[in-house]
Amino acid sequence: GAGVSQSPSNKVTEKGKDVELRCDPISGHTALYWYRQSLGQGLEFLIYFQGNSAPDKSGLPSDRFSAERTGGSVSTLTIQRTQQEDSAVYLCASRLPVGGAQYFGPGTRLTVT
Amino acid sequence: AQKITQTQPGMFVQEKEAVTLDCTYDTSDQSYGLFWYKQPSSGEMIFLIYQGSYDEQNATEGRYSLNFQKARKSANLVISASQLGDSAMYFCAMRPSGSARQLTFGSGTQLTVLP
């Protein structure tokens, strides 16, 4: 079946502009996660959604970052008033309701100029 | 809180030889899961292998095996018969069992397989 998909694959934006990153999880996966990976670094957790529960936003670095998940499927990560330090690869992952590994999408490479 | 430590920023191995990538962890959870992911230069994170903290046997998946030593809090990845396509970044990660919480990742090890 289809894996996790993300769009766009690359995004270049000017400092101060807003961006939206999209994630389409694997069908049937109720848990969805956003991570950020800066150049040469490990993954930094941002936010996760589990079914209809309130999302865990504890990893969001500032109030410029927000995310929503519509209909328990597609998720959008929004970064307002982008800064150069927001440049990174943003990875989305999904997982079955019970147990198992997280499966990652190909990521969106964000460059803020 | 959970912490993953990968002390080898880079490793080299000759093609067809075995290699061990180190991972140690720290957690206050009684039950947890340990994962290894591969990230080739294309950037996608590929799930390799999983070990539960109460699993009695070490996990194996093809050429990958996990050398789990609970008392030492280590979960090393062993790749047998290395192939050129194994050249990638490898991340160790963990999560409390039975939860949907996020993974905590180590800083990764860059493995290069030499012909």
Side-chain angles (χ1 to χ4, degrees), chain A residues 31 33 35 37 40-43 45 48 50 56 58 91 95 99-106, chain B residues 35 37 39 42-47 89 91 95 98-108:
Chain A
Y33 306 80
Y35 294 87
Q37 186 177 28
Q41 302 297 310
L43 274 71
F45 164 72
Y48 90 82
Q50 171 61 40
D56 179 344
S58 60
L91 290 159
R95 201 192 77 157
Q102 294 179 19
Y103 291 88
F104 284 80
Chain B
F35 302 79
Y37 284 84
Q39 187 177 43
S42 60
E44 190 162 358
M45 294 285 285
I46 302 167
F47 166 66
M89 194 74 158
F91 290 96
R95 182 191 72 224
S99 80
R101 280 171 53 190
Q102 69 275 11
L103 293 170
T104 299
F105 284 85
S107 55

Side-chain angles (χ1 to χ4, degrees), chain A residues 3 7 16 18 20 24 29 32-33 55 61 65-66 73 82 101 103 108 113:
Chain A
S7 62
D18 298 351
E20 286 189 351
D24 202 340
H29 283 197
L32 186 149
Y33 306 80
F65 288 72
S66 64
S73 182
T82 52
Y103 291 88
T108 294
T113 61

Side-chain angles (χ1 to χ4, degrees), chain B residues 6-76:
Chain B
Q6 294 180 253
T7 58
Q8 305 156 314
M11 288 280 287
F12 292 88
V13 64
Q14 209 68 39
E15 193 178 8
K16 300 181 185 177
E17 292 187 349
V19 63
T20 298
L21 306 183
D22 294 341
C23 172
T24 58
Y25 60 90
D26 193 16
T27 181
S28 56
D29 295 298
Q30 293 300 308
S31 179
Y32 48 88
L34 295 153
F35 302 79
W36 277 91
Y37 284 84
K38 172 184 178 181
Q39 187 177 43
S41 55
S42 60
E44 190 162 358
M45 294 285 285
I46 302 167
F47 166 66
L48 295 178
I49 195 168
Y50 165 81
Q51 176 83 43
S53 60
Y54 285 104
D55 292 343
E56 294 188 352
Q57 297 203 349
N58 287 340
T60 61
E61 194 70 48
R63 294 186 300 110
Y64 304 108
S65 61
L66 202 152
N67 183 1
F68 180 48
Q69 298 188 44
K70 193 170 182 178
R72 295 186 176 184
K73 294 189 175 180
S74 74
N76 298 338

Side-chain angles (χ1 to χ4, degrees), chain A residues 55-75:
Chain A
D56 179 344
K57 305 178 182 180
S58 60
L60 294 178
S62 78
D63 59 8
R64 296 186 296 105
F65 288 72
S66 64
E68 61 179 22
R69 189 177 185 191
T70 54
S73 182
V74 172
S75 176

Side-chain angles (χ1 to χ4, degrees), chain A residues 5-112:
Chain A
S5 60
Q6 292 186 245
S7 62
S9 54
N10 281 285
K11 176 72 176 179
V12 180
T13 189
E14 292 180 352
K15 178 182 173 181
K17 295 285 180 69
D18 298 351
V19 295
E20 286 189 351
L21 313 180
R22 177 188 167 106
C23 172
D24 202 340
I26 295 171
S27 177
H29 283 197
T30 58
L32 186 149
Y33 306 80
W34 283 98
Y35 294 87
R36 178 169 72 174
Q37 186 177 28
S38 300
L39 186 64
Q41 302 297 310
L43 274 71
E44 173 191 6
F45 164 72
L46 297 176
I47 186 171
Y48 90 82
F49 300 86
Q50 171 61 40
N52 295 321
S53 302
D56 179 344
K57 305 178 182 180
S58 60
L60 294 178
S62 78
D63 59 8
R64 296 186 296 105
F65 288 72
S66 64
E68 61 179 22
R69 189 177 185 191
T70 54
S73 182
V74 172
S75 176
T76 302
L77 177 69
T78 301
I79 309 173
Q80 297 178 311
R81 304 181 303 281
T82 52
Q83 304 294 314
Q84 288 188 329
E85 60 263 29
D86 299 335
S87 295
V89 176
Y90 289 80
L91 290 159
C92 175
S94 70
R95 201 192 77 157
L96 286 168
V98 179
Q102 294 179 19
Y103 291 88
F104 284 80
T108 294
R109 182 175 298 277
L110 175 66
T111 303
V112 182

